[in-house]
Amino acid sequence: MALKKTHAAALCAVLLASGCSFAEDVLFPTSGTVAPAQGEGVAGEVPPAMGTGSYEPIGVTAGSPTGTFVGGKVMALRADLQALQATLARQNQSLQQIRNETVQDSQRYHGTVAAINARLQVGTTPGNPVLTQQWNAAQGELDRITDDVLKMNRLTNDVTASSTMAGFLLDSVRSARSLSGAVDEDHRQLRILEDETNRTVVMVERLLSELTSDSIRQQQYVASEKQNLNTLALGIKNGALFAGGLTSRVNASYESTGPARTLASGEAPLVTIRFDKPNVNYEPALYAAIKSALDRRPSATFDVVAVSPVGNTPGTQALAATNAKRNADSVLRSLTNMNLPASRVRTSSTTSPAVAGGEVQVFVR
């Protein structure tokens, strides 16, 4: 969604109901208007590289029935892991297909744009119909790249569901070890199943992380190229190439090389999103807070910090950190969908004994 004017008071109830808290006192007193998100340079620049990982399931070790209640539980959990890995295999196949389609669509797009740039470089007649036809073709090719990004987003949602299922399955396998009525063979099979489930959890999280990064980079790239096509349209209208322009200068002013903020700074977060229930509706409150910050300081940048509680064991702490990072990735995707450039957002993670459950904190820089 585009950043647009919203009545802040109308969102106060949503802000509380969705598990978000808003720190008004950290916003800035300076005035100004929000600078629009712009693309960089001239259309036809090289698209961002996508990940190259392939996430093939590791397989599930077969086991023999023991005749006990726990043995039956092991068989059911093993079947669940096999189903999860089959889903993961399909998702990996979809990822590779989307990547191939995106590469092909990008090559066609850049070939068309390069032809337009070459003609404009040496000069041509204003409103050249051949260049206009090529521009329309480039617009259609960029729309296909947009469709590829939408496929990435849908796949990201599917993999997020798989990640949740993997975490639940790992907890179930660990819980089965405490059931009474088991024989030694049941516990041996449970140990093998736990190891394989744990490796599957790691694989799903890596897939989700790489897919999220690909999706965000491609979204920003498409937004940039849409602006650059507008620059090309102006060049075709005038019969001369308009290189660079204001777009690169605007984005250069937003570039940040400072480190991500940490909780040790003692500053109150702009927004705290507590993921203490399923389907937290945080986006309205997040939108209102970000827009207010940008209204006061158009050049503001933001830190998204995944905060997880300190666990009793290394395993529970690692699982909590993974869930917090996944929630932070969701917040990052929301900010991108609000047309906030990725170059203006930093992500990090930390633990805190003061946090009962996973939460995401957003700071202003």
Side-chain angles (χ1 to χ4, degrees), residues 193-212:
L193 187 60
E194 181 179 353
D195 290 342
E196 293 173 346
T197 304
N198 201 23
R199 288 196 292 270
T200 302
V201 168
V202 172
M203 182 174 294
V204 174
E205 291 303 325
R206 288 176 178 173
L207 168 59
L208 182 59
S209 178
E210 187 167 309
L211 184 56
T212 298

Side-chain angles (χ1 to χ4, degrees), residues 43 135 139 224-235:
W135 187 94
Q139 179 67 65
S224 172
E225 288 304 312
K226 286 181 178 179
Q227 295 291 334
N228 292 333
L229 276 184
N230 291 337
T231 301
L232 269 186
L234 182 61

Side-chain angles (χ1 to χ4, degrees), residues 83-98:
L84 175 62
Q85 290 194 358
T87 299
L88 178 59
R90 291 192 297 270
Q91 291 169 344
N92 178 62
Q93 184 178 8
S94 297
L95 172 62
Q96 307 309 324
Q97 181 178 351
I98 292 173

Side-chain angles (χ1 to χ4, degrees), residues 3 40 66 92 102 145 164 244 312 350 360:
L3 289 177
E40 296 181 1
T66 62
N92 178 62
T102 304
I145 299 176
T164 301
N312 295 326
T350 188
V360 176

Side-chain angles (χ1 to χ4, degrees), residues 16-33:
L16 297 175
S18 64
C20 299
S21 63
F22 177 48
E24 178 67 31
D25 56 341
V26 302
L27 297 181
F28 303 103
T30 55
S31 60
T33 57

Side-chain angles (χ1 to χ4, degrees), residues 16 34 46 63 69 72 85 103 124 159 165 170 189 210 274 351:
L16 297 175
V34 180
V46 178
F69 170 76
Q85 290 194 358
V103 169
T124 184
V159 176
M165 177 60 188
L170 182 60
Q189 294 186 30
E210 187 167 309
R274 298 182 179 90
T351 58

Side-chain angles (χ1 to χ4, degrees), residues 251-275:
N251 271 339
S253 67
Y254 292 148
E255 195 63 31
S256 174
T257 58
R261 191 187 305 272
T262 63
L263 294 181
S265 66
E267 297 183 21
L270 175 67
V271 179
T272 297
I273 307 172
R274 298 182 179 90
F275 290 87

